[in-house]
Each structure stands twice: as structure tokens, then as C-alpha cells.
Amino acid sequence: MRNKIRQQPPGERIKNFFEVALGFSKEEAEKEAARCLNCKDPLCVKGCPVGIDIPSFIMLIKEGKVSEALSKIKEKNSLPAICGRVCPQEDQCEAVCILNKKKIPINIGALERFAADYGLEQLSVRVSDERRNKVAVVGSGPAGLTAAGELAKMSYQVILFESLHSAGGVLVYGIPEFRLPKKIVQAEVDYIRSLGVELKTDVLIGKTLTVSDLFSRESGEGFAAIFIATGAGLPQFLGIPHENALGVYSANEFLTRINLMKGYKFPEYATPVNIGKKVAVIGGGNVALDCARSALRLGKVVTLVYRRSEKEMPGRLEEIENAKEEGVVFKFLTQPVKIITDEQGFVKGLECIQMKLEAPDASGRKRPVPVNGSNFIIDVDTIIVAIGQRPNPLLTSVTPELKTNAEGTIWVDEHYQTSIPGVFAGGDIITGADTVISAMGAGKKAAREIDQWIRKK
């Protein structure tokens, strides 16, 4: 039987922002590791975007060799404490686990987290003090951190530029403390820095420095190559009447105020989160669930509005179940059509229409269509729009030679190189919003391509 990870009880966790999942004990981890079949053809490795030798690290845990297990993981993955918490293993490594045929795959994510937490401050990697060419990495999210770490291991002099005051990108501003504690992200960032990576915060590439500045020796930079990993942090909106009303937040602003600016601790921190008593969150992904569960912890009544059925929700099943346990109200097959405001312009309701599902659309999910005459109003005073993000055009707008795709992502070739020689890109900035582990996979591959390009040059 698959061993489940322990959690804070719902009645307790909705009153705090502490981590919900408590992790395995050593005994629990060894018991779960003992379930692994150690397959001759381990499909789980093929299902991992960064190619971790999963059976080997699990066997090491089974034998009580946790430090060795972490070393094995870090051969391929520089951020295991993060991946063990937020990566959708159920759609990747665990999805192809042989035991998944019986619906009881190995709890790979929990075992990775156990190994990472066990040795979070104990493991270091020996890297050469001799440094080769300088490489700039723009953005310190999962793709940037991974690329920086890989390049540092190859003995490049890596400088990591971050526009905000804290490194981590979406890992710190977009994922709540109860899913991914900031101390975990900081520990992983510290590990990357221990490899020799230099971190420069409060530097906005495109404003503080341009791409030309980074290449120019006259500016004092003189980088041999640049890796752009600025993510997809620009919110999308519904385009319905009164969406600019007072009391409407984008998911980005709401989560940033809570996660990075500690707005929920006002006036201890001068960044208040001014939300009412009844909150509607629009969307069905992990970001929407994060918003809903954060608002719940602020003592609000929260309704999550999603235009398809629960079966079509893109959010992780684990997070959906957690939200239900905590008291989030779900309104499925519901599409917002108008925001109702009072005379002062504040939100006082959300007009919606009932939907029904028909044949699948391009996404492969059943297409929602309106049911005529089914309009109704949800009584709310705050609305959080969490329907997706796209790349911020700041850097591309001041770098016209940087080719972009129709949706605003940066164009790259099969080697992750952009239209500017020596400038590479990866992660959400080339794919649009995707998973943490997918961004890490891109960062890892791009680092190898950068190394080959510099060597040829």
C-alpha cells in the first residue's frame, strides 16, 4: 500500500500559513522505498524531465543512505527540495511507474523531498576554482537557477540577475508558504550560490542594463553568452465589463503581496492586502487554488469559479482535495460575464452564466458553451482573476532584434538559441506558463547548448 505523506489537520492549517504537508519520517521513507521494484527498464527515469536516476536514489533511501541518495539526485537536479513539493509527479515519473497499473505508484515526490530535507544544509559540490568565460543568466526562477548551477559546475563564471529583491522568481512570489516555504527556496538558492554563482538582485534587464550592455566590454560586463529565463509573469484577464473595478486583483498581484511582501501581516509589513469578506477566485489551475487557499487563511469565505467540470480542472488532484477539505466552495460549469459594482466603483457581485460541455476543443478537454437564460449573481466583494499568465514584453520591447512568437514568447531554435547569436532562452519565456520541472529541464538543456556554443566559438 502506498504510504501517504502526513499533513496538518484542515481545521488547524486554515488558520496559519505553515506548510500543509509535513513530510516522511525516516521510518516512513524507508518503508515507502521498500515498495520500489527496481525495474530493469525504469520508465520513471524517462518520465522525469531532468532525468533523475530514480530507482538508484530510492534504493539508497531503503538502505538508510540518505546523504548518498541526495547526492544521486543532485547529479541531475539542483533543486530537489522544491521539486519534491511542487512538481506534478502524478503526471510524470509516477504516471509511468509500473505500480501505477494498480493505481499505487511509488510516492517518488515525497521520497525526493525527504532526501532533500534530510541533507538540505549538509551537501556541497566541489567545483573548480578556475573559471572560464562569463555567462549572464537573466531571471532566478527554476529555469535560471538550474542553468546557473549547471554552468557553474562546468566552471563558467556565472552572474545571475534578478529584478526583485529576493531570488527565486515564481518560487517565492507565486507559490504560497503553505505549499513551498521560503526557507526551502532560500536554501536551494544558497546551494546554487555555493557552486560559485554570483547573484545580483534589483537589476531589471531591459531597464537597468540592456542585452547590448551585457555583451559590451566597455560597460564592464563582457559576457560570452546570455540565458534569458524571465518566465511568464504578466497576468491575463477575462475582458468582461467592470474588470477594472476596485476589489479586482490579478492572481499575480494578490500572491505577490502575500508571498513576497507579507501583506497579510499588515501593519507589521506596510503592504496591505485589502480584500473583503466574500472572495471569488476565477480559474481552475494551481494558481487559482493557491489564491483560494490563501484567501481562506485570511479568514474569508471563498468561492472558486471554473467554467468546466471538476474532471477538466488542470490543477493538481492533491491541491483540489486540500482546498475542499479546507472549505473552499467550488462553482463548476460557471462562466463570469460581468462584474457588478456599487456607486463608488467597488465590487459587490459577480454575474455568471451556467455552462454545459460539448465536444473537446484544441486543449483536448470538453468545450464549455453557455446555457441561454441561466444567468445568476454570486454575492462577493473581492474578485481574483487566475486564468493564466503570459510573458512580460519589457525585455523584448527594448530589444527589437529579439524575435518573438505570436503569443509573445521568445523564439528559439532547437538549441535554445534566440535570433541574437549568443543569446539563449528557456522556461516559461519560450513556452508560456508551464510546470517548475519543465522549466528546470529547459534550463539544464540550455546550459549544455551554451557550453557547446562557447566551445565552438
Side-chain angles (χ1 to χ4, degrees), residues 137-166:
V137 176
V138 183
S140 68
L145 287 171
T146 301
E150 293 298 311
L151 288 163
K153 290 177 186 177
M154 298 176 198
S155 297
Y156 285 98
Q157 182 182 348
V158 183
I159 298 182
L160 182 61
F161 294 97
E162 170 55 48
S163 62
L164 298 176
H165 62 279
S166 294

mmCIF file of all heavy atoms in Angstrom, residues 137-166:
data_model
loop_
_atom_site.group_PDB
_atom_site.id
_atom_site.type_symbol
_atom_site.label_atom_id
_atom_site.label_comp_id
_atom_site.label_asym_id
_atom_site.label_seq_id
_atom_site.Cartn_x
_atom_site.Cartn_y
_atom_site.Cartn_z
ATOM 1 N N VAL A 137 22.882 35.014 -16.610
ATOM 2 C CA VAL A 137 21.574 34.358 -16.538
ATOM 3 C C VAL A 137 20.577 35.394 -16.041
ATOM 4 O O VAL A 137 20.764 35.975 -14.974
ATOM 5 C CB VAL A 137 21.596 33.139 -15.603
ATOM 6 C CG1 VAL A 137 20.199 32.544 -15.469
ATOM 7 C CG2 VAL A 137 22.570 32.090 -16.119
ATOM 8 N N VAL A 138 19.539 35.636 -16.820
ATOM 9 C CA VAL A 138 18.561 36.682 -16.524
ATOM 10 C C VAL A 138 17.288 36.035 -15.982
ATOM 11 O O VAL A 138 16.550 35.379 -16.715
ATOM 12 C CB VAL A 138 18.245 37.518 -17.777
ATOM 13 C CG1 VAL A 138 17.269 38.648 -17.435
ATOM 14 C CG2 VAL A 138 19.527 38.083 -18.378
ATOM 15 N N GLY A 139 17.038 36.213 -14.700
ATOM 16 C CA GLY A 139 15.871 35.614 -14.056
ATOM 17 C C GLY A 139 16.280 34.462 -13.157
ATOM 18 O O GLY A 139 16.998 33.549 -13.598
ATOM 19 N N SER A 140 15.843 34.514 -11.894
ATOM 20 C CA SER A 140 16.276 33.491 -10.928
ATOM 21 C C SER A 140 15.163 32.536 -10.538
ATOM 22 O O SER A 140 15.124 32.048 -9.422
ATOM 23 C CB SER A 140 16.847 34.166 -9.679
ATOM 24 O OG SER A 140 15.828 34.851 -8.962
ATOM 25 N N GLY A 141 14.258 32.268 -11.469
ATOM 26 C CA GLY A 141 13.243 31.245 -11.249
ATOM 27 C C GLY A 141 13.843 29.869 -11.484
ATOM 28 O O GLY A 141 15.066 29.711 -11.571
ATOM 29 N N PRO A 142 13.021 28.840 -11.615
ATOM 30 C CA PRO A 142 13.537 27.473 -11.757
ATOM 31 C C PRO A 142 14.446 27.261 -12.961
ATOM 32 O O PRO A 142 15.454 26.557 -12.856
ATOM 33 C CB PRO A 142 12.275 26.616 -11.831
ATOM 34 C CG PRO A 142 11.141 27.563 -12.081
ATOM 35 C CD PRO A 142 11.555 28.878 -11.509
ATOM 36 N N ALA A 143 14.119 27.865 -14.108
ATOM 37 C CA ALA A 143 14.970 27.701 -15.295
ATOM 38 C C ALA A 143 16.308 28.400 -15.094
ATOM 39 O O ALA A 143 17.365 27.845 -15.402
ATOM 40 C CB ALA A 143 14.262 28.250 -16.536
ATOM 41 N N GLY A 144 16.272 29.626 -14.564
ATOM 42 C CA GLY A 144 17.502 30.389 -14.359
ATOM 43 C C GLY A 144 18.408 29.765 -13.319
ATOM 44 O O GLY A 144 19.626 29.663 -13.515
ATOM 45 N N LEU A 145 17.832 29.337 -12.196
ATOM 46 C CA LEU A 145 18.637 28.710 -11.148
ATOM 47 C C LEU A 145 19.291 27.428 -11.656
ATOM 48 O O LEU A 145 20.475 27.164 -11.378
ATOM 49 C CB LEU A 145 17.760 28.391 -9.938
ATOM 50 C CG LEU A 145 17.303 29.579 -9.077
ATOM 51 C CD1 LEU A 145 16.271 29.114 -8.051
ATOM 52 C CD2 LEU A 145 18.487 30.237 -8.374
ATOM 53 N N THR A 146 18.530 26.636 -12.399
ATOM 54 C CA THR A 146 19.076 25.376 -12.912
ATOM 55 C C THR A 146 20.201 25.626 -13.895
ATOM 56 O O THR A 146 21.268 25.005 -13.802
ATOM 57 C CB THR A 146 17.964 24.552 -13.578
ATOM 58 O OG1 THR A 146 16.939 24.283 -12.620
ATOM 59 C CG2 THR A 146 18.509 23.238 -14.114
ATOM 60 N N ALA A 147 19.971 26.532 -14.852
ATOM 61 C CA ALA A 147 21.008 26.832 -15.841
ATOM 62 C C ALA A 147 22.261 27.387 -15.163
ATOM 63 O O ALA A 147 23.386 26.999 -15.503
ATOM 64 C CB ALA A 147 20.476 27.830 -16.865
ATOM 65 N N ALA A 148 22.073 28.275 -14.194
ATOM 66 C CA ALA A 148 23.213 28.863 -13.487
ATOM 67 C C ALA A 148 24.024 27.786 -12.778
ATOM 68 O O ALA A 148 25.257 27.767 -12.839
ATOM 69 C CB ALA A 148 22.722 29.907 -12.488
ATOM 70 N N GLY A 149 23.335 26.872 -12.097
ATOM 71 C CA GLY A 149 24.023 25.798 -11.391
ATOM 72 C C GLY A 149 24.781 24.883 -12.330
ATOM 73 O O GLY A 149 25.943 24.516 -12.069
ATOM 74 N N GLU A 150 24.154 24.513 -13.451
ATOM 75 C CA GLU A 150 24.809 23.626 -14.410
ATOM 76 C C GLU A 150 26.039 24.282 -15.022
ATOM 77 O O GLU A 150 27.091 23.651 -15.174
ATOM 78 C CB GLU A 150 23.821 23.231 -15.513
ATOM 79 C CG GLU A 150 22.670 22.359 -15.042
ATOM 80 C CD GLU A 150 23.123 21.034 -14.490
ATOM 81 O OE1 GLU A 150 23.934 20.352 -15.147
ATOM 82 O OE2 GLU A 150 22.694 20.673 -13.380
ATOM 83 N N LEU A 151 25.931 25.562 -15.372
ATOM 84 C CA LEU A 151 27.056 26.277 -15.977
ATOM 85 C C LEU A 151 28.199 26.448 -14.982
ATOM 86 O O LEU A 151 29.370 26.357 -15.340
ATOM 87 C CB LEU A 151 26.581 27.633 -16.498
ATOM 88 C CG LEU A 151 25.698 27.582 -17.743
ATOM 89 C CD1 LEU A 151 24.956 28.903 -17.933
ATOM 90 C CD2 LEU A 151 26.539 27.261 -18.981
ATOM 91 N N ALA A 152 27.852 26.687 -13.710
ATOM 92 C CA ALA A 152 28.885 26.826 -12.682
ATOM 93 C C ALA A 152 29.648 25.515 -12.511
ATOM 94 O O ALA A 152 30.877 25.522 -12.329
ATOM 95 C CB ALA A 152 28.254 27.250 -11.361
ATOM 96 N N LYS A 153 28.932 24.396 -12.585
ATOM 97 C CA LYS A 153 29.597 23.101 -12.478
ATOM 98 C C LYS A 153 30.547 22.866 -13.652
ATOM 99 O O LYS A 153 31.507 22.103 -13.540
ATOM 100 C CB LYS A 153 28.553 21.976 -12.440
ATOM 101 C CG LYS A 153 27.733 21.928 -11.155
ATOM 102 C CD LYS A 153 26.678 20.838 -11.256
ATOM 103 C CE LYS A 153 25.749 20.846 -10.048
ATOM 104 N NZ LYS A 153 24.669 19.835 -10.178
ATOM 105 N N MET A 154 30.276 23.534 -14.792
ATOM 106 C CA MET A 154 31.154 23.443 -15.958
ATOM 107 C C MET A 154 32.291 24.460 -15.889
ATOM 108 O O MET A 154 33.028 24.649 -16.849
ATOM 109 C CB MET A 154 30.342 23.673 -17.244
ATOM 110 C CG MET A 154 29.260 22.665 -17.513
ATOM 111 S SD MET A 154 28.335 23.151 -19.002
ATOM 112 C CE MET A 154 26.843 22.187 -18.801
ATOM 113 N N SER A 155 32.399 25.140 -14.746
ATOM 114 C CA SER A 155 33.483 26.109 -14.486
ATOM 115 C C SER A 155 33.318 27.439 -15.219
ATOM 116 O O SER A 155 34.306 28.140 -15.458
ATOM 117 C CB SER A 155 34.856 25.502 -14.794
ATOM 118 O OG SER A 155 35.110 24.399 -13.949
ATOM 119 N N TYR A 156 32.077 27.801 -15.555
ATOM 120 C CA TYR A 156 31.846 29.133 -16.099
ATOM 121 C C TYR A 156 31.671 30.121 -14.951
ATOM 122 O O TYR A 156 31.213 29.762 -13.852
ATOM 123 C CB TYR A 156 30.605 29.153 -16.997
ATOM 124 C CG TYR A 156 30.841 28.503 -18.332
ATOM 125 C CD1 TYR A 156 30.453 27.190 -18.570
ATOM 126 C CD2 TYR A 156 31.495 29.197 -19.352
ATOM 127 C CE1 TYR A 156 30.695 26.571 -19.780
ATOM 128 C CE2 TYR A 156 31.741 28.590 -20.578
ATOM 129 C CZ TYR A 156 31.341 27.277 -20.788
ATOM 130 O OH TYR A 156 31.605 26.672 -21.992
ATOM 131 N N GLN A 157 32.031 31.370 -15.209
ATOM 132 C CA GLN A 157 31.784 32.450 -14.257
ATOM 133 C C GLN A 157 30.360 32.939 -14.522
ATOM 134 O O GLN A 157 30.100 33.602 -15.517
ATOM 135 C CB GLN A 157 32.798 33.585 -14.447
ATOM 136 C CG GLN A 157 32.629 34.721 -13.454
ATOM 137 C CD GLN A 157 33.605 35.849 -13.707
ATOM 138 O OE1 GLN A 157 34.544 35.697 -14.484
ATOM 139 N NE2 GLN A 157 33.388 36.980 -13.069
ATOM 140 N N VAL A 158 29.454 32.609 -13.633
ATOM 141 C CA VAL A 158 28.024 32.875 -13.860
ATOM 142 C C VAL A 158 27.549 34.004 -12.947
ATOM 143 O O VAL A 158 27.780 33.976 -11.734
ATOM 144 C CB VAL A 158 27.169 31.617 -13.604
ATOM 145 C CG1 VAL A 158 25.701 31.899 -13.916
ATOM 146 C CG2 VAL A 158 27.674 30.447 -14.431
ATOM 147 N N ILE A 159 26.885 34.984 -13.548
ATOM 148 C CA ILE A 159 26.220 36.033 -12.778
ATOM 149 C C ILE A 159 24.725 35.934 -13.048
ATOM 150 O O ILE A 159 24.278 35.940 -14.193
ATOM 151 C CB ILE A 159 26.747 37.433 -13.121
ATOM 152 C CG1 ILE A 159 28.235 37.512 -12.778
ATOM 153 C CG2 ILE A 159 25.965 38.508 -12.352
ATOM 154 C CD1 ILE A 159 28.867 38.858 -13.038
ATOM 155 N N LEU A 160 23.961 35.808 -11.977
ATOM 156 C CA LEU A 160 22.514 35.618 -12.049
ATOM 157 C C LEU A 160 21.826 36.933 -11.696
ATOM 158 O O LEU A 160 22.000 37.461 -10.598
ATOM 159 C CB LEU A 160 22.121 34.520 -11.067
ATOM 160 C CG LEU A 160 20.665 34.086 -10.957
ATOM 161 C CD1 LEU A 160 20.159 33.545 -12.276
ATOM 162 C CD2 LEU A 160 20.526 33.028 -9.868
ATOM 163 N N PHE A 161 21.079 37.485 -12.640
ATOM 164 C CA PHE A 161 20.395 38.769 -12.451
ATOM 165 C C PHE A 161 18.926 38.551 -12.101
ATOM 166 O O PHE A 161 18.217 37.812 -12.778
ATOM 167 C CB PHE A 161 20.494 39.623 -13.720
ATOM 168 C CG PHE A 161 21.890 40.058 -14.065
ATOM 169 C CD1 PHE A 161 22.642 39.346 -14.987
ATOM 170 C CD2 PHE A 161 22.455 41.176 -13.468
ATOM 171 C CE1 PHE A 161 23.929 39.740 -15.325
ATOM 172 C CE2 PHE A 161 23.740 41.584 -13.789
ATOM 173 C CZ PHE A 161 24.484 40.862 -14.720
ATOM 174 N N GLU A 162 18.471 39.217 -11.038
ATOM 175 C CA GLU A 162 17.080 39.130 -10.593
ATOM 176 C C GLU A 162 16.524 40.534 -10.426
ATOM 177 O O GLU A 162 17.150 41.394 -9.803
ATOM 178 C CB GLU A 162 16.996 38.362 -9.276
ATOM 179 C CG GLU A 162 15.649 38.410 -8.584
ATOM 180 C CD GLU A 162 14.496 37.941 -9.462
ATOM 181 O OE1 GLU A 162 14.613 36.875 -10.090
ATOM 182 O OE2 GLU A 162 13.477 38.660 -9.526
ATOM 183 N N SER A 163 15.330 40.780 -10.985
ATOM 184 C CA SER A 163 14.742 42.124 -10.932
ATOM 185 C C SER A 163 14.180 42.466 -9.555
ATOM 186 O O SER A 163 14.127 43.641 -9.181
ATOM 187 C CB SER A 163 13.640 42.263 -11.986
ATOM 188 O OG SER A 163 12.594 41.340 -11.739
ATOM 189 N N LEU A 164 13.736 41.453 -8.805
ATOM 190 C CA LEU A 164 13.168 41.696 -7.480
ATOM 191 C C LEU A 164 14.260 41.672 -6.410
ATOM 192 O O LEU A 164 15.427 41.423 -6.707
ATOM 193 C CB LEU A 164 12.096 40.661 -7.174
ATOM 194 C CG LEU A 164 10.878 40.673 -8.115
ATOM 195 C CD1 LEU A 164 9.926 39.545 -7.771
ATOM 196 C CD2 LEU A 164 10.153 42.005 -8.070
ATOM 197 N N HIS A 165 13.854 41.907 -5.163
ATOM 198 C CA HIS A 165 14.850 41.963 -4.087
ATOM 199 C C HIS A 165 15.174 40.592 -3.522
ATOM 200 O O HIS A 165 16.104 40.459 -2.728
ATOM 201 C CB HIS A 165 14.342 42.878 -2.957
ATOM 202 C CG HIS A 165 13.078 42.391 -2.307
ATOM 203 N ND1 HIS A 165 11.836 42.615 -2.862
ATOM 204 C CD2 HIS A 165 12.855 41.686 -1.168
ATOM 205 C CE1 HIS A 165 10.912 42.081 -2.079
ATOM 206 N NE2 HIS A 165 11.506 41.510 -1.050
ATOM 207 N N SER A 166 14.417 39.566 -3.903
ATOM 208 C CA SER A 166 14.668 38.206 -3.447
ATOM 209 C C SER A 166 14.773 37.282 -4.649
ATOM 210 O O SER A 166 14.005 37.403 -5.608
ATOM 211 C CB SER A 166 13.546 37.712 -2.538
ATOM 212 O OG SER A 166 13.503 38.447 -1.342
#
